[in-house]
Amino acid sequence: MNTMTLDAAGQTAPAQPESVEKATVDTDTRVTETVGQPFCDDAKLRMRGINVFYGETQAINDVSLDIGRNEVVAMIGPSGCGKSTFLRCINRMNDTIEGCRVEGDLTLDDEPIYGPRVDVVPLRARVGMVFQKPNPFPKSIYENVAYGPKIHGIASRRAELDEIVENSLRRAGLWNEVKDRLDQPGTGLSGGQQQRLCIARAIAVSPEVILMDEPCSALDPIATARIEELIDELRENYTIAIVTHSMQQAARVSQRTAYFHLGHLVEVNDTETVFTNPQHELTEAYITGRFG
Amino acid sequence: MTDLTQEQVRERIERRLAGRHRVEKTFRGLGIASIAFGILAVVILFSDIIAKGSGAFVQSAVQLEVHYDPAVLGIEQVDEESLTWANFTGVIREALRERFPEVSGRSEKRELYSLVSTGAPFKLRNRLQADPELLGRSETVWVAADDDVDTFVKSLSDSGGGFRGRTSDRMIRWIDQLLASGELKKRFNSNFFTNGDSREPEQAGIRAALVGSLLTLLVTLALSFPIGVAAAIYLEEYAPRNRWTDLIEVNINNLAAVPSIVFGLLGLAIFINFFELPRSAPLVGGLVLTLMTLPTIIISSRAALKSVPPSIREAAMGMGASRMQVVFHHVLPLAMPGMLTGTIIGMAQALGETAPLLMIGMVAFIVDVPGGVTDPATVLPVQIFLWADSPERAFVERTSAAIMVLLSFLIVMNTSAVWLRKKLERRW
Amino acid sequence: MQTPTLFALLLLLVLVAYGTGFTRAVTAARGSGGLRNLASLPGYYGLHTALWCGLPALLLLVAWIAFDDAIICAMVINSLADKPETISAQNLLWTQIQNVAAGNLFGEPEPQIAAAAEHLAALRDNSRLLKAGLTLILATGLGAFTLLRFSPQLRAREKVEKVLRWVLLACACAAIFTTIGILLSVLFESLRFFQAVPVSEFLFGLHWSPQMALRADQVGSSGAFGAVPLFTGTMMVTAIAMFVAVPVGLMSAIYLAEYAGRRVRAFAKPVLEILAGVPTVVYGFFAALTVAPFIRDAAAAVGLEASSESALAAGLVMGVMIIPFVSSLSDDVINAVPQSLRDGALGLGSTHSETVRKVVIPAALPGIVGGVLLAVSRAIGETMIVVMAAGLAANLTANPLDSVTTVTVQIVTLLVGDQEFDSPKTLAAFALGLMLFLTTLVLNFIALHVVKKYREQYD
């Protein structure tokens, strides 16, 4: 039960049939329109009519969604439903995959994300990303966090850089654990610490939005709890979109939850509403564990 | 951030963007330039060789009206003995004098005689041997021109009136006459494929070297393939994980990177000096090349064995097959395409190898085509090395032509390896 | 009997043994009610017989062929009334005797030699007869013995497999024997060389002219075997080659692995691989006839004097030869860097080249260094290019336009052509070979170790 897998050729793995077979509901129910409240007034990110193709295969089908300022939106759904693909559209990480094509309007603060003149470099500095598997660079802890500020030239002096590193590590709740060994390799930390290091690395460039792609799937429960706590703290300053396959996690950290199914956005609502009173039968089937 | 707002950060990022994109472009450009450099090197290398060597496939020949005069030849009838000492040179000279009756004086005559190859008499001898009836009669034959004449004729098409070398004005006049009357022509150079080495470029051919290469490769193949496959089978299917096995592995990997000339030293010291095997023989060459190619074959055979999934072995074991039966009935046939590919690549390496063969005396001047693996022989790359060292200009184009032959063999071998891999290798 | 005939005869015997063993088993099975009553399939009884018939006889035959000349030589020399003291004189005498025995007479041979030649011919006849006789007797004897001991209870398959396993092990040990063979051959001759020339002089002497040393009074005293100019020459050519191969190879690998689309890769990769398949003698020819004159003319055009055989020409061409080596090794290690690291860097807003330069390359560095070390070892050991394009003059120079000589070139020049096997001149080649072998061995060892560790890191 992982996120949608992409092989080297950029093909999507088809939705796992065995997971669907168990279902007692008709999972082929045609999704024509998203139920719930996909839009909000003070939107940081606006997405309208998004379609994503890998070569011939369509991975995302006409998805429209807003993500509001300083809010945490969780995206849930069965494996291969396209939630990770959708997330990677937001900072254009899909550009790196050969044969991937994105259609539709995405705006960040009303500026288009996919435009002929848009430079992905500053875009990705504004929209940071944390990945499923902790991926610290094989460098020291300090260098890991300082990497972003260095390449972007954010710090003008060494002292400033030190400060950025310290602040980022503090915000990621890692400072006290690593302050005495900043020069040791980041790969030597535990899994949970590595993931927090990656979060620190992402916030070191002062992003406005942070995308998290199943950030806790490789971690143990204690490390997961620590990260969830962190996400809640980060909400003050950042807009966060998180993909997760854990419904409990979605319930704990998010204000709104979006349920994806086979490339369609089925339902978006306040997290509480989704989990207590789902409006679509597919959502209900999923959260009650009838498939997934 | 305490002192940097997001706007400040944005601004600082924007300031450096142009520069970073410039670096990006430069870096990408360097990558493209590197690839282009490599491709250019291939193009230059091949076009240079082809430009230099394609001339060798034709050879200037002179048409002569020869009279097999028993008086000049000094023989009465045609038999083995008389043929060996008959004066065919005289026949050629007479024919030349008849063609240019105005020539007189010793030095002038010497120049006239030097128009045709010193190998021309052998051609007449072969003709007479094939048809004894010719004795006392005349016929028109094409004999190879001397290499200086050949070089001059071939360079005529270049601008600047051709490469003179040792060709005198008088000779040029004769050459022009012969060219005008069609008695001097460039014809297909069959000597190149049917003769062995020679001091005379126009007589030199690659046949002996080709046969030498073939014999050497046969020895190499006959030894390295079975030994390599057997070693791979042992290491992959039988070897216990212990220090001895590790030692063997480290050894194989190291040997794959040992300079080839060191194998030559081994061959010289062990095979020739210690075992007293014959020098310059394809047998010793094959032995040395076997040791050299073994690591390649073992490594690729092991990879082929590794790629056979364990489920096949388990299935056969489950039927009660012995270890040996599992390997020889099931695993080996499935791994064979990969092993063959590795072997072909190893053979291609061996075919192109020169240095170790110099050590074991395969540089000798060999005219005769070797008849067996213990006869003195040379191989194609060594022949190329020898010709490249020869001062005659005409050897340059023969060297290049020999290279073209060698390269075409290698291309055939390597493409067939690629084809084999694509065609037969199974993906699990 | 000729050796090939003997081999053919042996093969025939083996086939007969297989057939007899097979038939014997089938007959026995029929007599006792079917194949079920045999311990193994009939084919294994055939193989069992064939192995016993062929293998010992084959080993005997090969050993005989390998050693008979040496033994006969010793016998002939020892039979001489006044045998010479030194090995070289013995070798010379031995060649004379062989020539006389082969009928290559140059004038009337000395009576002693003529007698020895006759002795030799007789010994050879005997040896040939004995070889054929013993081999065939051994083959038939063991074959028949195995047949006699046949019983349906004999576990032929296990016995055959046991033998085959040993054969497989022997084949696997070929690599070890080769290494030992190399070490022994270069070590022994080198030790003899170092008896004549002190090690320190060889390693630190600045003057190399082995031809001079043919005169006995100059050996070791004139400093003719100082290998430093060879080492510096080798290093210069290697450095020039690396100067070309490492940047070009590395950048090609980076471009192919990180930037190029599938179509470009499918075209460019095989084209670069062509460079690796071209024989070195072809590169040597290209270096000597095309690149070297070009460099000489180019240098003359800017007012420099370049030798017609220059380190630069050899180094440049060698660099081109090594490009695919560096690029394919680097390609492998770059592809082994996990995609997640690239995603991490790109996700922070790195440009593509920043990702490559600051994350991918540092992560792949050990592997790349290993590959470069292997390339250096290959450049040091490369022979034909330098033989044909670098020259023979042992110049101690730092000017790449000068001609230099290298260790491999000297090995070739010292050993090609006629040699006496105990002149320091010839032995020097083995000392150089020892240096070459040890240097490349150390380089390869470090490189393979580094690469292996690197692979394990990302597995």
Side-chain angles (χ1 to χ4, degrees):
Chain A
M1 281 284 290
N2 275 326
T3 175
M4 182 169 56
T5 48
L6 305 171
D7 68 19
Q11 306 284 309
T12 52
Q16 303 293 313
E18 65 270 18
S19 62
V20 181
E21 270 164 26
K22 289 186 295 184
T24 51
V25 285
D26 178 13
T27 54
D28 281 340
T29 313
R30 287 197 63 81
V31 185
T32 44
E33 221 161 84
T34 307
V35 297
Q37 295 157 331
F39 309 126
C40 54
D41 301 332
D42 184 22
K44 180 79 183 171
L45 282 159
R46 259 184 231 287
M47 293 158 272
R48 295 290 180 271
I50 307 298
N51 289 299
V52 181
F53 301 87
Y54 291 114
E56 295 296 302
T57 335
Q58 185 160 12
I60 297 286
N61 207 321
D62 193 25
V63 169
S64 298
L65 180 66
D66 281 352
I67 297 177
R69 237 169 263 283
N70 296 5
E71 120 177 296
V72 178
V73 173
M75 301 174 188
I76 58 171
S79 292
C81 67
K83 49 195 194 302
S84 279
T85 302
F86 183 69
L87 192 74
R88 289 168 69 98
C89 288
I90 300 173
N91 69 344
R92 294 185 59 172
M93 280 302 283
N94 282 337
D95 288 14
T96 56
I97 296 167
E98 230 173 291
C100 178
R101 191 156 46 86
V102 179
E103 289 171 0
D105 294 322
L106 274 91
T107 56
L108 172 63
D109 286 336
D110 297 325
E111 295 161 32
I113 288 176
Y114 285 84
R117 328 217 71 187
V118 176
D119 187 346
V120 296
V121 170
L123 169 74
R124 287 180 188 155
R126 290 174 71 185
V127 184
M129 188 157 189
V130 177
F131 297 85
Q132 182 178 356
K133 225 181 105 205
N135 57 351
F137 302 135
K139 298 169 185 277
S140 71
I141 294 171
Y142 182 93
E143 287 296 325
N144 259 287
V145 182
Y147 176 82
K150 267 189 181 169
I151 56 163
H152 289 299
I154 293 169
S156 44
R157 298 182 314 275
R158 174 77 190 188
E160 211 169 38
L161 190 61
D162 288 347
E163 201 183 322
I164 293 176
V165 170
E166 183 178 339
N167 280 334
S168 308
L169 283 170
R170 272 186 201 284
R171 284 189 188 199
L174 197 60
W175 176 252
N176 286 328
E177 292 161 58
V178 300
K179 63 181 176 210
D180 300 324
R181 44 171 174 156
L182 289 175
D183 56 343
Q184 281 173 26
T187 43
L189 297 172
S190 73
Q193 288 174 323
Q194 287 192 10
Q195 196 61 300
R196 277 182 281 149
L197 178 63
C198 292
I199 293 175
R201 190 175 68 184
I203 56 186
V205 293
S206 310
E208 295 154 38
V209 180
I210 301 177
L211 310 173
M212 296 187 172
D213 189 355
E214 299 196 25
C216 303
S217 68
L219 304 181
D220 60 63
I222 294 168
T224 304
R226 188 77 192 76
I227 302 266
E228 286 175 5
E229 231 171 85
L230 176 58
I231 292 172
D232 209 43
E233 288 164 20
L234 292 173
R235 186 161 64 90
E236 277 178 46
N237 297 303
Y238 309 100
T239 301
I240 296 174
I242 176 169
V243 164
T244 173
H245 65 262
S246 150
M247 282 174 275
Q248 289 85 343
Q249 186 170 69
R252 281 192 298 262
V253 300
S254 70
Q255 279 75 56
R256 284 200 302 150
T257 298
Y259 173 66
F260 282 77
H261 186 88
L262 295 176
H264 294 272
L265 178 55
V266 178
E267 178 169 349
V268 190
N269 245 326
D270 289 343
T271 300
E272 214 184 310
T273 317
V274 169
F275 285 105
T276 54
N277 185 19
Q279 294 175 11
H280 197 285
E281 53 174 322
L282 281 171
T283 321
E284 192 186 350
Y286 181 72
I287 63 168
T288 52
R290 271 185 279 163
F291 68 90
Chain B
M1 304 290 112
T2 44
D3 54 348
L4 282 174
T5 64
Q6 284 180 339
E7 283 65 40
Q8 282 173 308
V9 168
R10 298 287 86 81
E11 201 181 303
R12 290 191 179 181
I13 291 178
E14 286 296 333
R15 245 188 329 214
R16 290 193 34 178
L17 267 182
R20 289 169 68 193
H21 283 301
R22 260 199 312 280
V23 172
E24 172 72 23
K25 266 201 190 115
T26 319
F27 190 75
R28 202 189 164 93
L30 279 177
I32 295 176
S34 299
I35 300 272
F37 180 84
I39 293 175
L40 193 71
V42 174
V43 172
I44 291 180
L45 184 66
F46 277 74
S47 51
D48 183 58
I49 302 274
I50 292 173
K52 281 199 180 112
S54 50
F57 295 108
V58 291
Q59 158 75 38
S60 306
V62 182
Q63 189 185 38
L64 285 180
E65 179 74 30
V66 293
H67 178 51
Y68 296 95
D69 187 350
V72 179
L73 286 169
I75 58 173
E76 254 107 65
Q77 82 275 7
V78 180
D79 55 43
E80 270 305 308
E81 206 200 329
S82 62
L83 278 172
T84 47
W85 50 269
N87 182 11
F88 288 102
T89 314
V91 173
I92 300 259
R93 290 185 173 174
E94 175 130 330
L96 279 167
R97 279 200 303 275
E98 234 155 75
R99 174 63 185 81
F100 295 102
E102 72 277 10
V103 174
S104 62
R106 273 185 68 179
S107 66
E108 212 176 326
K109 274 185 186 162
R110 200 179 315 124
E111 278 182 16
L112 180 64
Y113 299 155
S114 72
L115 281 180
V116 299
S117 160
T118 47
F122 295 103
K123 174 158 188 176
L124 297 192
R125 198 193 73 179
N126 289 345
R127 289 195 66 82
L128 193 60
Q129 190 174 21
D131 182 11
E133 295 292 302
L134 279 172
L135 189 65
R137 284 198 260 163
S138 298
E139 70 162 342
T140 314
V141 290
W142 286 93
V143 295
D146 187 68
D147 62 303
D148 287 327
V149 177
D150 187 42
T151 310
F152 173 71
V153 171
K154 280 174 183 164
S155 65
L156 274 181
S157 48
D158 300 351
S159 55
F163 174 80
R164 290 285 296 270
R166 287 182 292 177
T167 324
S168 68
D169 289 339
R170 243 194 317 257
M171 287 166 80
I172 289 174
R173 229 174 24 248
W174 296 328
I175 290 172
D176 286 341
Q177 277 180 40
L178 288 170
L179 277 175
S181 63
E183 288 165 277
L184 179 61
K185 259 193 201 158
K186 282 186 273 186
R187 312 180 71 201
F188 177 69
N189 184 4
S190 57
N191 280 349
F192 186 69
F193 295 99
T194 55
N195 286 9
D197 196 6
S198 167
R199 300 277 184 228
E200 303 297 328
E202 70 275 9
Q203 295 297 326
I206 55 169
R207 173 122 178 266
L210 267 183
V211 174
S213 273
L214 183 74
L215 290 171
T216 311
L217 274 197
L218 280 180
V219 174
T220 311
L221 182 65
L223 290 172
S224 64
F225 182 65
I227 297 180
V229 169
I233 290 176
Y234 181 81
L235 290 173
E236 213 45 55
E237 307 282 333
Y238 286 94
R241 292 259 112 226
N242 59 22
R243 296 177 75 179
W244 182 248
T245 314
D246 281 349
L247 184 70
I248 296 180
E249 281 208 52
V250 170
N251 243 296
I252 291 173
N253 289 333
N254 261 322
L255 277 184
V258 164
S260 59
I261 191 169
V262 174
F263 288 96
L265 288 174
L266 165 90
L268 177 61
I270 304 251
F271 295 135
I272 293 189
N273 285 333
F274 187 69
F275 287 130
E276 307 226 338
L277 293 175
R279 273 180 149 266
S280 314
L283 177 66
V284 182
L287 281 170
V288 169
L289 293 180
T290 298
L291 298 183
M292 214 192 75
T293 47
L294 256 184
T296 314
I297 296 180
I298 295 178
I299 290 169
S300 62
S301 298
R302 288 188 69 179
L305 286 171
K306 258 195 200 113
S307 72
V308 176
S311 59
I312 302 270
R313 294 178 182 84
E314 282 156 15
M317 294 274 206
M319 301 287 294
S322 72
R323 196 81 170 265
M324 195 68 70
Q325 286 169 325
V326 172
V327 172
F328 282 92
H329 296 173
H330 301 280
V331 181
L332 201 55
L334 291 173
M336 207 31 99
M339 293 178 163
L340 286 179
T341 312
T343 308
I344 295 176
I345 289 170
M347 288 301 114
Q349 250 177 37
L351 177 59
E353 198 50 70
T354 321
L357 302 181
L358 301 182
M359 302 285 95
I360 54 159
M362 289 189 101
V363 276
F365 175 71
I366 310 274
V367 181
D368 298 322
V369 175
V373 291
T374 48
D375 288 353
T378 188
V379 293
L380 203 45
V382 175
Q383 186 71 73
I384 290 168
F385 169 64
L386 288 172
W387 282 351
D389 245 10
S390 302
E392 287 93 344
R393 200 182 141 96
F395 268 126
V396 171
E397 74 178 19
R398 272 159 185 80
T399 315
S400 304
I403 288 175
M404 285 160 71
V405 173
L406 178 63
L407 285 179
S408 32
F409 274 108
L410 290 176
I411 288 171
V412 168
M413 288 170 86
N414 283 312
T415 16
S416 61
V418 171
W419 178 81
L420 196 69
R421 182 158 46 202
K422 281 217 175 110
K423 193 86 185 166
L424 297 177
E425 210 161 57
R426 249 182 248 212
R427 295 216 130 207
W428 301 98
Chain C
M1 198 181 302
Q2 293 294 311
T3 312
T5 337
L6 197 54
F7 272 110
L9 218 59
L10 190 58
L11 185 69
L12 193 72
L13 271 177
V14 167
L15 288 178
V16 169
Y18 179 85
T20 336
F22 185 88
T23 339
R24 182 77 208 269
V26 172
T27 333
R30 209 172 284 143
S32 64
L35 289 179
R36 262 176 304 123
N37 295 320
L38 290 178
S40 307
L41 288 171
Y44 285 104
Y45 289 98
L47 270 178
H48 184 225
T49 324
L51 275 177
W52 274 106
C53 166
L55 209 56
L58 186 71
L59 289 180
L60 175 78
L61 184 55
V62 169
W64 198 291
I65 293 171
F67 293 105
D68 65 344
D69 257 17
I71 293 171
I72 290 177
C73 166
M75 284 167 77
V76 170
I77 298 282
N78 285 329
S79 73
L80 291 177
D82 51 339
K83 63 170 181 181
E85 290 294 314
T86 64
I87 296 172
S88 66
Q90 282 184 7
N91 281 344
L92 195 69
L93 193 67
W94 172 238
T95 321
Q96 273 181 3
I97 297 172
Q98 275 181 310
N99 273 330
V100 172
N104 306 330
L105 292 174
F106 302 105
E108 195 62 28
E110 292 169 44
Q112 191 202 7
I113 292 180
E118 255 170 61
H119 184 50
L120 170 66
L123 276 176
R124 275 191 174 155
D125 281 344
N126 283 340
S127 158
R128 220 168 289 150
L129 216 64
L130 267 178
K131 175 174 71 179
L134 280 181
T135 308
L136 296 180
I137 289 170
L138 192 65
T140 24
L142 282 175
F145 182 67
T146 319
L147 273 178
L148 280 179
R149 287 194 28 190
F150 169 85
S151 85
Q153 284 79 43
L154 182 74
R155 294 172 175 274
R157 183 177 55 74
E158 280 166 34
K159 294 199 177 261
V160 169
E161 289 186 353
K162 213 170 176 184
V163 174
L164 275 183
R165 208 190 142 133
W166 279 104
V167 172
L168 293 182
L169 176 63
C171 290
C173 291
I176 295 202
F177 295 138
T178 310
T179 309
I180 294 174
I182 291 176
L183 258 182
L184 287 185
S185 53
V186 292
L187 208 58
F188 272 123
E189 311 293 347
S190 302
L191 287 180
R192 283 169 66 191
F193 173 73
F194 289 131
Q195 280 163 8
V197 179
V199 183
S200 58
E201 190 172 325
F202 175 71
L203 287 181
F204 305 113
L206 298 181
H207 189 62
W208 177 266
S209 64
Q211 304 302 334
M212 307 264 291
L214 278 177
R215 296 213 301 276
D217 54 325
Q218 285 196 339
V219 172
S221 59
S222 67
F225 285 104
V228 169
L230 275 53
F231 298 150
T232 57
T234 309
M235 278 192 271
M236 195 202 291
V237 175
T238 306
I240 296 171
M242 288 300 123
F243 195 73
V244 175
V246 171
V248 176
L250 192 55
M251 280 311 292
S252 310
I254 289 172
Y255 188 81
L256 287 177
E258 301 283 335
Y259 284 93
R262 220 173 306 162
R263 298 245 290 287
V264 175
R265 211 166 24 233
F267 168 75
K269 242 186 139 165
V271 172
L272 284 184
E273 297 292 324
I274 290 178
L275 285 177
V278 172
T280 52
V281 69
V282 176
Y283 281 113
F285 177 73
F286 182 67
L289 268 93
T290 308
V291 178
F294 174 77
I295 287 175
R296 199 184 45 216
D297 296 346
V302 295
L304 288 170
E305 199 177 327
S307 151
S308 60
E309 290 177 319
S310 59
L312 189 60
L316 280 179
V317 174
M318 196 190 284
V320 169
M321 181 189 86
I322 294 176
I323 288 173
F325 195 73
V326 174
S327 86
S328 72
L329 284 172
S330 312
D331 199 37
D332 286 352
V333 294
I334 288 173
N335 280 325
V337 173
Q339 182 63 30
S340 66
L341 287 185
R342 293 185 185 88
D343 283 348
L346 289 173
L348 285 170
S350 311
T351 64
H352 208 145
S353 70
E354 283 161 355
T355 308
V356 172
R357 281 182 293 131
K358 303 202 168 133
V359 175
V360 176
I361 296 300
L365 200 61
I368 292 173
V369 169
V372 169
L373 284 183
L374 280 181
V376 169
S377 133
R378 168 166 282 215
I380 290 177
E382 171 47 42
T383 309
M384 294 319 292
I385 296 178
V386 276
V387 165
M388 295 167 84
L392 294 173
N395 292 327
L396 192 56
T397 172
N399 178 3
L401 296 175
D402 267 352
S403 89
V404 296
T405 194
T406 70
V407 173
T408 49
V409 172
Q410 288 306 315
I411 295 178
V412 169
T413 20
L414 292 175
L415 286 185
V416 167
D418 296 324
Q419 329 133 355
E420 301 161 66
F421 228 75
D422 56 348
S423 84
K425 178 187 152 198
T426 317
L427 294 177
F430 284 89
L432 290 174
L434 180 67
M435 300 303 301
L436 183 64
F437 181 65
L438 291 182
T439 315
T440 50
L441 194 72
V442 169
L443 279 174
N444 298 341
F445 197 78
I446 297 173
L448 291 170
H449 188 74
V450 168
V451 172
K452 195 174 161 201
K453 277 268 143 6
Y454 169 77
R455 287 268 152 78
E456 282 166 0
Q457 183 190 335
Y458 289 120
D459 265 350

Coordinates of all heavy atoms in Angstrom, one line a residue, chain A residues 46 48 110 155 164 188 227:
Chain A
R46 N -4.9 27.5 -6.3 CA -6.1 27.2 -7.0 C -5.8 26.3 -8.2 O -5.0 26.6 -9.0 CB -6.7 28.5 -7.6 CG -7.8 29.2 -6.8 CD -8.3 30.4 -7.6 NE -8.3 31.6 -6.7 CZ -9.2 31.7 -5.8 NH1 -10.1 30.9 -5.6 NH2 -9.1 32.8 -5.0
R48 N -7.8 24.1 -11.3 CA -9.0 24.0 -12.0 C -8.9 23.0 -13.2 O -8.0 23.3 -14.1 CB -9.5 25.3 -12.6 CG -9.9 26.4 -11.5 CD -11.2 26.0 -10.8 NE -11.5 27.0 -9.8 CZ -11.0 26.9 -8.5 NH1 -10.3 25.9 -8.1 NH2 -11.3 27.9 -7.6
D110 N -2.6 33.4 -7.4 CA -3.1 33.9 -8.6 C -2.1 34.1 -9.7 O -2.4 34.6 -10.8 CB -3.8 35.3 -8.5 CG -5.0 35.1 -7.5 OD1 -5.7 34.0 -7.6 OD2 -5.3 36.0 -6.7
A155 N 21.5 33.6 2.0 CA 22.3 34.1 3.1 C 23.4 34.9 2.5 O 24.1 34.4 1.6 CB 22.8 33.0 4.0
I164 N 20.0 30.8 9.8 CA 19.0 30.1 9.0 C 18.9 28.6 9.4 O 17.9 28.0 9.6 CB 19.2 30.3 7.5 CG1 19.0 31.7 7.1 CG2 18.2 29.4 6.7 CD1 19.2 32.0 5.7
G188 N 23.4 9.5 9.0 CA 23.6 8.7 10.2 C 22.5 8.9 11.2 O 22.5 8.2 12.2
I227 N 6.3 13.8 13.9 CA 6.1 14.6 12.7 C 4.8 15.2 12.6 O 4.6 16.4 12.2 CB 6.3 13.6 11.5 CG1 7.7 13.0 11.5 CG2 6.1 14.4 10.2 CD1 8.8 13.7 10.8

